[in-house]
Amino acid sequence: MSQQVAGRERPPIAAEAHATTAEAVTAALEVQPTVGLSTEEADRRRAVYGSNSVVAGERPSLLGMVGDAVTEPFVVLLGVAGALAVALGEVRDGLLILIGLVPIVGADVLTEFRSERALESLREAAAPRARVRRGGDVIDLAAADLVPGDIVLLGVGDVVPADLRVRTAHGLTVDRSTLTGESMPEPTSATPDDAGAAVADRRSMAYAGTAVVGGRGEGIVVATGADTEFGRIAGRLAVTERRRSPLQRELDRLVRILLVVAIGLIVITSGLGFIRGNPLGANLLAGISAAIAAIPEEPPVLLAVILGLGAYRLLKRGVLVRRLSAEETLGAVDLIITDKTGTLTENRLGLRAILTPDGPVSDPGAIRDIVRLAVRAEEDAWHVESGARAGSFTRVLLDYGGPEVAIAPDLRLRRSEGPSDGRPYSMTWSADGAAEMGLVIGAPEAVLRLPLAGEEEADVDDGGRWPALVDAEASAGGRLLLLARAGADERWTPIALLAFADPLRADVPDALRLATGAGIQVIVVTGDHPATARTIARAAGLDANHVIVGRELEGWSEEELGAHLSTLSVVARAVPEDKLRLVDQARRSHRTVAVTGDGVNDAPALQHGDVAVAMGSGTAVARDASDLVLGDDSFTTLMYGLREGRRIVANVQKGLVFLVSTHVALLGFILIATIAGFSQPLLPIQILWLELFIDLSTSIAFEREPEEPDAMSRPPRPRHEPLLTTDLLARITLAGGFSAVAALVLMLVHDGTDDHVRWLAYSSLVVAQVVRAYANRRLSRPVISLAPNGLLAAACLVVIAVQVAIPYVPPLADAFRATVLDLGDWGFVAAIALIPAVVAEGIRAAGRTWVA
């Protein structure tokens, strides 16, 4: 009796195990809990159900990764240009283009190889060993050998090795934050849950990958490997596809434009050759050569350098960049979907307050006494000295109270009861001489109704003051434990209410205000109780008036979710599918979404987001599924990354404006000079010098440009808006066209040899581009109002100095056919270079955007 799921068998009881009694589950799986499976039966079931491991999808080969990298549109275009250049005899130019592609392709392959480690980390994240009852004996075996029906013994510190139906629970508390996002450890119970209970609400289940933080118990394996909740996440990771980043799409668009330009140049140049009577071969050669010159080799190198240096800057601030394209995507992020635990909070359980109906307890001596009693009430605390690990609440109490709250050695534990079926509390009885004292700590509603010896039940609510206190504090979120005591044959008397919480990070409110001011929406998705989520959201400064729960979100249609997306701020009691659905809806709504997470449950959403941000302290699964890793887990550090992303995008835009204007000037000059009758207006080495050295040395210096003053006070750049808009391209064409026409006019009106007028025109193009580099540091503000960029200024001065020196160095002068220019010549060069910059400064001073 098994059913086929995802190519393997699974027990039919697995789906409804949480709503079925433990006895019924053991019967369905045909196992005696006190004996366990025999070795032979375990082997037989392993052949049916498979290994308890997450089977990764087929990993792409190294050759496949290289294939993906070299099929990027810009890489293909440059590869074709380099090959054609070699075929046409321009071997040096062609080889330089092809060699320049090697580091670009290599970087893509390296980052892709690292990202493929995500599924491998999923397999390694499962517990390697498990304590199992087999044939009446308790043995340790590899977790991969578990099969449905195995009886697993759990204790503090264990990682749950498979999906288990809890059979017995003695104070068994499980931290599910890596799976459900719920920050507070939860007690388990053998009592069945409601059939429709969400994963986060199932107390009768212990899921693979979660951690035991208190107590002990037993569970029955109901699902292994890919059939576990953990395995389902792995399956989704294997088939994800990430959207192309804004700059990748920008380069795709530039490729399309350049193809049109290249075809146009071939038609125009070849057509002019036919009109002049040149042979067919010569015409095609001239047209293809012009087309090759139209294709800029610099943009991929520019991006690699700017993004690489940006990654280094981020690393110094604790942000590890795993995929360079994520940096520039940060600049367009307008939505952050984040978990609460470990991102907004410290992911550290703390004692927030000790309260009584008379108010908070503030006296240090009284606090110390209450904490000491609370420790004594925790049954597991009595076993710490014998080497056992304390549960999560005991550790908090011991850390809070220090050495003075340790259990005195002259006290002995007479008996204890831990949380189990119907008893969500820990009760201890200890003796000090002849006196005997009972202590209990646990869920307030259970502690307030405790049975007395010989009686069924007694209400000790003290006139309703303690229940009122519990109700009032429940709305503040976190976990409440009530401490009570009693002597022999005495009524239980409440002592204090202990409020535990995962505190908000101190810097989060400022970071969220920065996000709001930058037009970035933040949605917190957590597995916590709505009251807890509301409290944290309110403290962080988010709108907490309407907290959506996961079940409500699940009931929304795609249209309803799309309509509510822009107004959401908090989703509580969420399951992994809720977070993933929000991310997918954001993508359908053309939003650029950054997703943060630290647990296994976050991995699918991370893979679907535009920017995946993992916490450094999180699971290996989350880190390896991410684009960025925050070393300090701080939301403030994420906001620094967003600021840096906006700076990087702005500087890439400036670099692209400069490079495109260079090619407009260069190609415009070649085209109109050819039309005017000049057979070879520029030499290949002159073009190469202008493109590879001058362009790159100056454009790369844009990386040092500081953040623009209003970068974080304006909305993010829309994802669909290109960096080089049609309006901006028109202004670039106007600026580059001026330089091209001015250089041609200089050739036509100036007396001298062909080499001299060519060098004069070429020098005007070089100096104009250098001035243009510095003059376009800010397109909407006069450059004279900006702080100087020393590196860019130095690069510009070096280029001009080299240009002046070339005619005086014989080998260079011969290669470039350079001639010495007199002061009058340099006056013409300076005028052509400065006129566009002066005009741009005047237009920008009037409040308009312009390209020099």
Side-chain angles (χ1 to χ4, degrees):
M1 294 182 62
S2 61
Q3 59 183 357
Q4 188 76 18
V5 176
R8 59 182 284 163
E9 300 285 339
R10 72 181 300 209
I13 194 66
E16 60 268 9
H18 67 282
T20 308
T21 64
E23 291 76 12
V25 173
T26 57
L29 292 172
E30 300 178 353
V31 59
Q32 297 182 26
T34 58
V35 178
L37 299 174
S38 66
T39 302
E40 294 76 14
E41 178 63 15
D43 291 340
R44 188 191 69 80
R45 296 190 183 195
R46 191 176 304 109
V48 175
Y49 299 118
S51 174
N52 180 35
S53 59
V54 177
V55 180
E58 183 179 354
R59 296 183 63 179
S61 64
L62 182 61
L63 185 60
M65 295 180 190
V66 174
D68 290 340
V70 299
T71 52
E72 280 288 319
F74 215 102
V75 174
V76 171
L77 186 61
L78 290 178
V80 171
L84 285 175
V86 173
L88 293 172
E90 301 292 344
V91 177
R92 177 176 53 190
D93 295 2
L95 290 179
L96 283 173
I97 293 173
L98 295 175
I99 292 172
L101 294 178
V102 173
I104 299 170
V105 172
D108 285 345
V109 172
L110 179 61
T111 53
E112 175 68 15
F113 177 78
R114 292 177 63 189
S115 69
E116 286 302 317
R117 293 165 52 198
L119 293 180
E120 184 177 350
S121 296
L122 272 171
R123 295 195 301 272
E124 296 173 352
R129 308 290 297 178
R131 289 183 61 78
V132 181
R133 187 174 288 125
R134 286 271 178 93
D137 297 324
V138 176
I139 61 174
D140 288 337
L141 50 72
D145 294 334
L146 290 177
V147 296
D150 265 326
I151 304 298
V152 177
L153 281 64
L154 298 174
V156 176
D158 289 343
V159 175
V160 180
D163 283 0
L164 310 179
R165 172 59 168 89
V166 176
R167 177 177 170 268
T168 63
H170 302 282
L172 185 64
T173 306
V174 178
D175 179 359
R176 309 183 188 201
S177 60
T178 60
L179 183 66
T180 67
E182 189 169 0
S183 62
M184 305 296 291
E186 290 289 347
T188 62
S189 171
T191 304
D193 298 300
D194 293 337
V199 171
D201 296 326
R202 296 176 184 176
R203 298 295 173 258
S204 65
M205 297 292 296
Y207 289 103
T210 60
V212 178
V213 297
R216 55 188 173 82
E218 291 183 7
I220 312 157
V221 176
V222 296
T224 58
D227 295 323
T228 63
E229 288 295 318
F230 188 88
R232 291 173 54 221
I233 294 173
R236 289 195 294 271
L237 283 179
V239 291
T240 55
E241 181 180 355
R242 200 177 294 275
R243 279 196 291 185
R244 293 181 69 75
S245 70
L247 276 185
Q248 286 175 321
R249 297 200 315 276
E250 184 76 11
L251 291 184
D252 293 347
R253 176 171 173 265
L254 190 56
V255 165
R256 293 192 294 269
I257 294 173
L258 290 174
L259 282 175
V260 173
V261 171
I263 293 172
L265 285 172
I266 292 174
V267 172
I268 293 173
T269 305
S270 300
L272 288 174
F274 280 117
I275 292 174
R276 291 171 180 160
N278 295 334
L280 174 64
N283 291 336
L284 290 177
L285 180 63
I288 293 174
S289 297
I292 291 173
I295 301 173
E297 300 86 357
E298 307 95 331
V301 181
L302 169 73
L303 292 180
V305 172
I306 290 184
L307 295 179
L309 291 176
Y312 176 71
R313 287 173 179 265
L314 287 169
L315 183 60
K316 291 195 297 183
R317 287 291 298 266
V319 182
L320 172 64
V321 178
R322 299 187 64 251
R323 296 181 180 90
L324 292 181
S325 62
E327 291 180 69
E328 45 90 9
T329 308
L330 282 171
V333 166
D334 60 359
L335 173 62
I336 299 175
I337 297 178
T338 177
D339 63 351
K340 178 186 71 68
T341 305
T343 306
L344 301 183
T345 66
E346 297 178 1
N347 197 18
R348 178 180 57 83
L349 192 64
L351 183 57
R352 177 173 58 83
I354 299 176
L355 307 112
T356 70
D358 296 324
V361 178
S362 57
D363 178 69
I367 291 176
R368 184 169 56 252
D369 291 341
I370 291 172
V371 170
R372 182 184 294 111
L373 292 176
V375 170
R376 291 176 61 183
E378 288 281 4
E379 189 270 341
D380 64 332
W382 291 77
H383 304 287
V384 172
E385 291 185 0
S386 63
R389 282 178 288 187
S392 57
F393 292 108
T394 301
R395 289 198 302 270
V396 172
L397 292 170
L398 290 173
D399 292 342
Y400 191 87
E404 294 183 357
V405 306
I407 295 176
D410 59 332
L411 294 176
R412 63 181 180 84
L413 181 66
R414 189 166 73 88
R415 70 178 187 272
S416 66
E417 298 178 13
S420 59
D421 299 353
R423 288 199 302 270
Y425 53 73
S426 174
M427 180 187 296
T428 64
W429 289 86
S430 56
D432 184 6
E436 182 180 73
M437 179 173 63
L439 290 168
V440 63
I441 188 169
E445 63 274 13
V447 174
L448 287 173
R449 299 187 64 85
L450 285 173
L452 293 178
E455 298 182 14
E456 289 294 324
E457 193 173 77
D459 190 347
V460 293
D461 67 9
D462 193 20
R465 298 178 67 208
W466 285 99
L469 175 64
V470 170
D471 291 342
E473 288 301 313
S475 63
R479 173 67 66 78
L480 301 178
L481 297 180
L482 183 61
L483 175 67
R485 67 181 170 189
D489 300 326
E490 291 182 0
R491 180 186 293 268
W492 289 96
T493 304
I495 300 173
L497 186 68
L498 283 69
F500 295 82
D502 183 10
L504 181 73
R505 289 180 178 272
D507 52 5
V508 163
D510 289 339
L512 286 172
R513 279 193 293 271
L514 180 64
T516 302
I520 301 172
Q521 179 188 357
V522 178
I523 301 177
V524 179
V525 181
T526 175
D528 278 340
H529 188 279
T532 303
R534 182 179 293 107
T535 300
I536 290 295
R538 186 178 293 115
L542 291 173
D543 180 10
N545 293 326
H546 185 37
V547 176
I548 300 297
V549 296
R551 287 190 177 181
E552 183 179 355
L553 185 72
E554 185 180 356
W556 286 351
S557 66
E558 300 303 325
E559 292 74 17
E560 289 175 315
L561 180 58
H564 287 93
L565 184 66
S566 62
T567 60
L568 287 178
S569 58
V570 182
V571 180
R573 285 297 189 216
V575 295
E577 287 79 3
D578 294 330
K579 194 172 189 178
L580 180 60
R581 189 178 175 212
L582 285 170
V583 174
D584 289 341
Q585 181 59 50
R587 294 178 63 170
R588 286 191 294 270
S589 301
H590 306 293
R591 305 286 294 274
T592 302
V593 57
V595 186
T596 73
D598 60 359
V600 175
N601 62 308
D602 295 312
L606 288 171
Q607 286 280 44
H608 281 235
D610 294 298
V611 182
V613 185
M615 304 298 112
S617 64
T619 62
V621 177
R623 290 195 299 270
D624 288 342
S626 67
D627 301 309
L628 307 176
V629 179
L630 304 183
D632 60 359
D633 296 0
S634 172
F635 198 84
T636 300
T637 303
L638 171 60
M639 291 309 302
Y640 172 80
L642 291 171
R643 298 186 74 141
E644 184 67 8
R646 293 194 178 191
R647 187 189 71 85
I648 287 173
V649 169
N651 290 345
V652 168
Q653 182 189 47
K654 296 168 188 175
L656 289 177
V657 166
F658 170 67
L659 293 177
V660 173
S661 67
T662 296
H663 280 266
V664 168
L666 183 62
L667 294 173
F669 174 73
I670 292 174
L671 181 60
I672 61 178
T674 302
I675 294 174
F678 291 91
S679 60
Q680 194 175 24
L682 291 179
L683 301 176
I685 192 174
Q686 293 174 339
I687 298 174
L688 193 64
W689 167 257
L690 182 61
E691 288 186 345
L692 293 185
F693 178 78
I694 298 175
D695 281 4
L696 286 179
S697 63
T698 50
S699 63
I700 288 173
F702 280 120
E703 196 281 330
R704 293 292 298 273
E705 281 295 297
E707 175 188 291
E708 297 186 357
D710 59 347
M712 296 302 289
S713 60
R714 61 174 183 252
R717 181 176 60 87
R719 186 180 182 89
H720 62 273
E721 179 182 301
L723 284 176
L724 302 180
T725 62
T726 302
D727 182 59
L728 191 56
L729 284 173
R731 296 175 186 181
I732 291 171
T733 302
L734 184 61
F738 172 83
S739 297
V741 172
L744 178 62
V745 170
L746 202 57
M747 287 185 69
L748 293 174
V749 302
H750 199 282
D751 295 330
T753 64
D754 289 345
D755 286 345
H756 183 74
V757 295
R758 181 194 293 117
W759 182 252
L760 177 61
Y762 176 67
S763 295
S764 69
L765 291 173
V766 169
V767 177
Q769 286 309 114
V770 168
V771 173
R772 184 172 287 116
Y774 203 86
N776 286 327
R777 291 177 54 208
R778 183 81 182 272
L779 302 181
S780 59
R781 186 176 174 184
V783 175
I784 58 174
S785 65
L786 304 177
N789 182 332
L791 181 62
L792 181 57
C796 293
L797 292 176
V798 167
V799 168
I800 293 175
V802 171
Q803 189 70 20
V804 172
I806 285 176
Y808 298 97
V809 181
L812 293 178
D814 292 341
F816 281 88
R817 297 185 189 178
T819 60
V820 177
L821 303 181
D822 58 28
L823 290 178
D825 293 335
W826 282 113
F828 286 119
V829 170
I832 292 173
L834 291 173
I835 287 174
V838 173
V839 172
E841 286 290 278
I843 295 175
R844 292 168 185 166
R848 295 179 59 191
T849 298
W850 201 257
V851 176

